[in-house]
Amino acid sequence: MILVLAVGAVLLTPLQQDTTVSVAPGTRLELTSHTGEIVVRTWNRNAIQVSANLPRHDRLEVVVSGGVAEVRRDSRYSDDDDTIDYRLTVPTWMELELSTVEGDITVEGIRAKVTLSSVEGNITLRGGKEFVSIQSVEGDVSVDGAIARVEINSVDGGITVTHVRGAINAETVDGDITLDDIESSDIETTTVDGNIHYRGNVDPNGRYRFDSHDGDITLEAPQINATLTVSTFDGEFQACGYQVTLSSKGGVRTNHKRFTARVGNGGAQINLESFDGNIYLVKPGCR
């Protein structure tokens, strides 16, 4: 069965149109927009509420079929480049696939899989469960409170991840990467022109990689038992609050080096690499 709900336009341009449609648990929401902001919030109803500012000849449609609810704009008489802002309220359990070419995306309160992409815009996610995938070509990305595997890719923008429980893979070309209050045994971060700052726990059986070509790396954790692989070219390695035992030749503060070392009883594998930046291993409160 296919259910189509449409709201016709009348006299004004643009016209604020809205509709609400019931959905069954497990339904996935899809929305693709060219230009404009997408904002999603949640409620405890098994229904989707959608509002958008459309040109007078356009129609707002929600098509439900095969476990997918697709929000569409019927723009046969209008320019697809018009700026259309969408406001949605959805169930907390609803999986999301949202994309826009030019515009910000904000999602709050979702407890399901999330896939978000924007070519030119910032992306903010508060929530997420099981799996989170975010791509932004030109814009900052922020993820807070996800209990999920998180994968983030940005070309020109910073990445901020906070209060996340799960594996993290974060990559940007031109921007800082900040990870704060993290519980994960599997982290990989890469930036070409930016700093990396990690603050969280280090699982004794975990695998961690922090790689910046032209920036500093700071690893801040309350307790570390790990084997370190450290590589710098034009920078220094410094440890504050931790005793580092070298297992290969090289001075801890010597430039142009690569060495391995042990902190505590080993355990975790941590790779720290910066070509043109300093690397810091810090216990919280150490100055």
Side-chain angles (χ1 to χ4, degrees), residues 26-240:
T27 303
R28 182 177 73 252
L29 175 71
E30 296 182 357
L31 169 59
T32 300
S33 176
H34 187 275
T35 305
E37 182 182 36
I38 300 174
V39 177
V40 179
R41 293 184 171 85
T42 58
W43 58 8
N44 292 323
R45 296 175 55 187
N46 290 336
I48 303 168
Q49 184 180 70
V50 186
S51 177
N53 59 318
L54 299 180
R56 59 181 303 231
H57 293 297
D58 288 7
R59 293 191 307 166
L60 177 62
E61 298 180 342
V62 179
V63 180
V64 182
S65 176
V68 177
E70 183 180 0
V71 178
R72 299 197 299 214
R73 167 197 175 197
D74 185 345
S75 59
R76 67 188 70 182
Y77 302 115
S78 302
D79 188 349
D80 286 338
D81 292 335
D82 290 331
T83 298
I84 308 299
D85 295 326
Y86 290 91
R87 300 287 185 271
L88 301 93
T89 306
V90 305
T92 56
W93 50 257
M94 176 162 275
E95 181 179 342
L96 303 179
E97 293 186 15
L98 311 175
S99 66
T100 181
V101 177
E102 296 181 22
D104 297 340
I105 299 176
T106 302
V107 176
E108 298 183 356
I110 286 292
R111 293 300 173 190
K113 296 179 181 179
V114 179
T115 301
L116 309 174
S117 66
S118 177
V119 176
E120 187 176 343
N122 300 322
I123 298 177
T124 301
L125 169 65
R126 299 182 182 92
K129 189 176 180 180
E130 295 183 31
F131 181 69
V132 169
S133 175
I134 299 179
Q135 294 187 352
S136 176
V137 176
E138 185 175 347
D140 296 331
V141 175
S142 174
V143 175
D144 178 73
I147 304 175
R149 178 175 183 83
V150 177
E151 296 185 358
I152 303 173
N153 188 288
S154 178
V155 177
D156 186 9
I159 295 174
T160 303
V161 180
T162 55
H163 311 109
V164 165
R165 309 293 178 260
I168 299 172
N169 188 319
E171 180 178 352
T172 184
V173 176
D174 186 9
D176 296 337
I177 299 177
T178 302
L179 296 87
D180 191 11
D181 188 18
I182 305 298
E183 290 187 10
S184 176
S185 61
D186 182 5
I187 294 179
E188 184 168 352
T189 61
T190 303
T191 179
V192 176
D193 188 10
N195 300 319
I196 298 175
H197 193 151
Y198 175 83
R199 184 183 294 109
N201 294 330
V202 172
D203 190 305
N205 298 312
R207 300 291 182 269
Y208 304 85
R209 182 177 184 87
F210 305 97
D211 189 345
S212 176
H213 185 274
D214 189 20
D216 295 339
I217 298 173
T218 302
L219 171 58
E220 184 175 350
Q223 183 176 357
I224 297 177
N225 290 292
T227 298
L228 308 179
T229 300
V230 180
S231 180
T232 66
F233 183 84
D234 191 19
E236 295 184 342
F237 172 82
Q238 299 181 23
C240 183

Side-chain angles (χ1 to χ4, degrees), residues 258-281:
R258 179 181 178 89
F259 63 86
T260 58
R262 190 180 73 253
V263 179
N265 59 16
Q269 298 293 321
I270 302 178
N271 290 276
L272 304 162
E273 184 170 349
S274 178
F275 183 84
D276 188 20
N278 298 321
I279 299 173
Y280 303 100
L281 192 67

Side-chain angles (χ1 to χ4, degrees), residues 8-15 55-57:
V10 285
L11 298 176
L12 300 178
T13 304
L15 179 70
R56 59 181 303 231
H57 293 297

